[in-house]
Amino acid sequence: MQRNNKSVQAPDKRAGDRLADPRPIVLIGMMGVGKSTIGRRLALRLGLPFVDADDEIEHAAGMTIPEIFARYGEAGFRDGERRVIARLMEEGQQVIATGGGAFMNEETRALILDRAIAIWLDADIDILVERVSRREGRPLLQGKDPRQVLTELAAIRTPVYALAPIKIRSGAGPHEQTVDRIMEVLGR
């Protein structure tokens, strides 16, 4: 693959089958794990487009995610999310950051596992709590204790996230370290 960005590393000579894999790379994991930030940086390093599913959902609905939740509830949001992710999966090789609950939908999960390289970004609850406190507009946290909500969500979601074939730990260090680990796993 040709790369125009000089800061992108050259392909590893030992690169495996994933080097030429045309499927999209889909990042899954809890809110606050860094899917969007890591996804942007990963896409840049790979020379691929990046898309944030939450941004696409807002664009398609013509309203913000909190507005969608307020008007249609979580079930309505999840239905729209499922449709948007299905569309994104058809758009070819790119890096897609999903919302934290997207992979919990059975149909979305099956599509991702069948047609994408699914990467579960995982982090300790302390890291997630610190990161989600930096940004507002997370409907599942509105008026609630973030640590309690994230702990409860992790208990439910972790076994489902574990179905992803690739798991990468996102630590407290710079996101570039996580991107480096993903590049290693992808053979780049």
Side-chain angles (χ1 to χ4, degrees):
M1 173 184 288
Q2 285 285 5
R3 292 194 185 98
N4 298 327
N5 186 331
K6 293 186 182 194
S7 67
V8 175
Q9 297 176 351
D12 187 321
K13 300 276 189 236
R14 301 166 294 137
D17 294 337
R18 287 194 182 105
L19 183 63
D21 195 324
R23 297 177 296 165
I25 296 169
V26 178
L27 304 179
I28 64 165
M30 292 287 289
M31 70 177 90
V33 78
K35 296 179 299 287
S36 296
T37 303
I38 290 165
R40 278 185 197 90
R41 293 174 184 192
L42 178 63
L44 180 65
R45 295 257 301 265
L46 293 170
L48 295 174
F50 169 77
V51 64
D52 185 306
D54 284 350
D55 291 345
E56 292 294 314
I57 293 163
E58 288 181 339
H59 179 74
M63 59 182 90
T64 67
I65 289 174
E67 291 169 339
I68 298 168
F69 265 76
R71 183 173 290 173
Y72 301 107
E74 185 174 359
F77 170 78
R78 296 295 174 203
D79 183 56
E81 178 180 59
R82 177 188 51 75
R83 287 182 280 127
V84 166
I85 290 173
R87 175 180 53 82
L88 293 174
M89 297 286 293
E90 297 300 319
E91 294 178 2
Q93 191 178 42
Q94 60 186 334
V95 177
I96 303 169
T98 63
F103 201 67
M104 299 305 292
N105 177 285
E106 189 175 341
E107 192 176 332
T108 302
R109 181 173 57 251
L111 182 67
I112 291 170
L113 291 173
D114 184 51
R115 297 191 184 156
I117 299 169
I119 300 176
W120 170 26
L121 298 179
D122 189 26
D124 295 331
I125 294 293
D126 289 339
I127 292 170
L128 298 176
V129 170
E130 191 273 323
R131 289 180 181 166
V132 299
S133 68
R134 297 182 206 160
R135 198 177 98 193
E136 302 216 359
R138 297 183 187 267
L140 296 179
L141 298 179
Q142 291 303 105
K144 299 176 185 164
D145 174 36
R147 179 174 301 282
Q148 181 179 347
V149 172
L150 289 166
T151 300
E152 291 169 2
L153 285 173
I156 295 165
R157 292 178 177 181
T158 294
V160 178
Y161 290 155
L163 296 172
I166 301 171
K167 176 184 176 182
I168 303 288
R169 293 288 294 173
S170 178
H175 286 306
E176 282 302 322
Q177 291 174 344
T178 305
V179 174
D180 289 342
R181 287 193 285 279
I182 294 170
M183 294 293 286
E184 256 182 61
V185 169
L186 294 177
R188 305 245 180 159

